[in-house]
Amino acid sequence: MALIPPADLQSFADHLSKSTRILALLGAGLSAASGLPTFRGAGGMWRAFDATSLATPEAFEEDSGLVWQFYSYRRHMAVNAKPNRAHYALAELAKKNENFITLSQNVDGLSPRAGHPSEQLHLLHGSLFDIRCTSFYCNYSRKDDFTDPIVPALAIPTEGAHPDPSTTDKTGEEATKALYDAMQAQPQRGRELDIADPNVPIPKLTADELPKCPQCSGLLRPGVIWFGEALPQATIQTVNSWIRDSPKIDLILVIGTSSQVYPAAGYVHTAREKGARVAVIDMDQNNVLKKSLTPNDWFFQGDAGEIVPKLLE
Ligand code: BV8
Ligand code: ZN
């Protein structure tokens, strides 16, 4: 149970009640209570890969099958997760106060699913459920595609569904036929294998098994912003004009983020420059922002899933 010192809760509640222009910056820690792994904590490793090393155009260029399996796994996890009480509390605050906007680094789709008004929710890093074409001249994209798996080859492997080729003593055509027959003989899919487990063999997918553009047959990619890619222009413009048009920002809530990723993390500094008091909600006592806080700010240590609803009720 997260313990919030009563005096901090009181001073925060007093300030919140007097605040009009409020910002929230969300990170993966907000969705931890929904069971989704964070990037840099324990969940930051996917198989033997550092998740951030797969979130790059270079990784996709090099092995789009591997990167698609990483994203298909995260789509599968996110589509089966539920928004937690903190997602709902932020959505309720946005409904009550049109001068409250949320900047989310999360791509898991949980804030939109919690009913957060979309004109007050800015997804700085895109969404797992937006898909777009990689062909240079093609502008095909689609939003909110929750199909899971998005193509059959990206289904989460299950026990027995892929007979092990090394078990057949046949070779060539005969072996392929034997494996195909074994596949057909599988009565139903077995237990889902934990494809995040480095010991589970990862299927080698060919380019034609990956999601294809219905317009130009080019390779589709997840509609997220990878490292080295610019954040969505329209989103940044909207957020920056909201900040520019704010004579003063009263409060910024910084929830479940290690504040390592820019330009997103830079919004804490921008808000402070506009007079905002800062409230950090994080599991980690040593969150990098902690040392920059003044006695006018707050640091609430614990699970955002528990603390945020308490702070906003
Ligand atoms: C850009 C989408 C320029 C994909 C993500 C060299 C070359 C190019 C760029 C750079 C460079 N060096 C630096 C940069 C900038 C780079 C960057 O910041 N790198 C960092 C790592 C140093 N940024 C970029 O590349 C950005 N683009 O700069 O473009 C440009 C300009 C013009 C033209 C061309 C280019 C793009 C950055 C976006 C990258 N995409 N995600 C995907 O998700 O797969 S970032 C990724 O990290 C996620 O979005 C994630 O949200 C984000 C931040 O991580 P956090 O959310 O903070 O998660 P983390 O695990 O780190 O922390 C969790 C926190 O929660 C912890 O504090 C933990 O204690 C806490 N917690 C855990 N459990 C709980 C909890 N708190 C509360 N309750 C709990 N239960
Ligand atoms: Zn296309």
Side-chain angles (χ1 to χ4, degrees), residues 26-34 36-44 51-52 54-56 70-71 74 104-108 124-128 223-231 233 255-265 281-288 300-308:
L26 311 181
L30 172 70
S31 300
S34 298
L36 296 182
T38 62
F39 264 79
R40 291 165 188 83
T52 53
L54 292 170
T56 68
F70 171 54
Y71 281 96
R74 288 176 59 202
S104 182
Q105 300 172 94
N106 296 339
V107 296
D108 57 32
L124 302 180
H125 297 160
S127 167
L128 290 170
V224 296
I225 306 297
W226 280 327
F227 287 101
E229 294 186 324
L231 272 57
Q233 199 57 29
I255 305 172
T257 180
S258 61
S259 296
Q260 314 263 322
V261 174
Y262 284 84
I281 296 98
D282 201 287
M283 187 64 99
D284 179 4
Q285 274 285 20
N286 307 316
N287 180 289
V288 68
F300 297 106
Q301 198 252 332
D303 174 17
E306 274 181 53
I307 293 178
V308 171

Side-chain angles (χ1 to χ4, degrees), residues 1-239:
M1 203 55 167
L3 211 59
I4 306 180
D8 294 358
L9 191 57
Q10 191 53 55
S11 64
F12 177 83
D14 292 349
H15 185 65
L16 180 66
S17 64
K18 291 189 295 267
S19 296
T20 42
R21 293 188 84 86
I22 305 171
L23 264 181
L25 176 66
L26 311 181
L30 172 70
S31 300
S34 298
L36 296 182
T38 62
F39 264 79
R40 291 165 188 83
M45 292 307 286
W46 183 72
R47 301 176 67 85
F49 301 96
D50 167 351
T52 53
S53 67
L54 292 170
T56 68
E58 296 74 18
F60 190 70
E61 180 72 28
E62 191 181 314
D63 189 344
S64 34
L66 172 69
V67 172
W68 254 120
Q69 288 181 88
F70 171 54
Y71 281 96
S72 184
Y73 167 75
R74 288 176 59 202
R75 287 166 53 96
H76 182 71
M77 295 273 286
V79 87
N80 288 298
K82 293 204 174 9
N84 63 57
R85 289 171 45 235
H87 293 105
Y88 288 108
L90 288 159
E92 286 316 305
L93 179 62
K95 288 173 192 165
K96 274 190 306 203
N97 174 0
E98 62 180 11
N99 286 313
F100 164 57
I101 65 166
T102 294
L103 314 180
S104 182
Q105 300 172 94
N106 296 339
V107 296
D108 57 32
L110 293 183
S111 285
R113 281 173 53 197
H116 196 301
S118 56
E119 64 287 356
Q120 289 167 259
L121 173 63
H122 302 286
L123 302 180
L124 302 180
H125 297 160
S127 167
L128 290 170
F129 303 104
D130 294 353
I131 305 290
R132 59 188 169 87
C133 183
T134 57
S135 304
F136 184 71
Y137 52 83
C138 179
N139 62 359
Y140 178 79
S141 68
R142 59 179 185 248
K143 287 192 75 57
D144 298 334
D145 174 332
F146 294 95
T147 335
D148 177 37
I150 191 164
V151 288
L154 287 171
I156 302 286
T158 60
E159 222 164 30
H162 298 276
D164 180 353
S166 61
T167 55
T168 168
D169 52 4
K170 300 187 171 50
T171 53
E173 278 297 302
E174 280 216 327
T176 315
K177 183 157 176 356
L179 281 178
Y180 182 75
D181 294 346
M183 281 283 269
Q184 299 312 309
Q186 295 294 340
Q188 77 274 332
R189 291 168 66 82
R191 180 178 59 80
E192 265 185 6
L193 294 178
D194 177 7
I195 191 168
D197 175 352
N199 303 312
V200 169
I202 192 159
K204 194 86 189 112
L205 302 183
T206 55
D208 57 12
E209 291 179 290
L210 296 178
K212 285 293 174 331
C213 174
Q215 239 167 243
C216 76
S217 322
L219 178 61
L220 294 177
R221 59 165 278 182
V224 296
I225 306 297
W226 280 327
F227 287 101
E229 294 186 324
L231 272 57
Q233 199 57 29
T235 303
I236 297 303
Q237 265 159 13
T238 309
V239 171

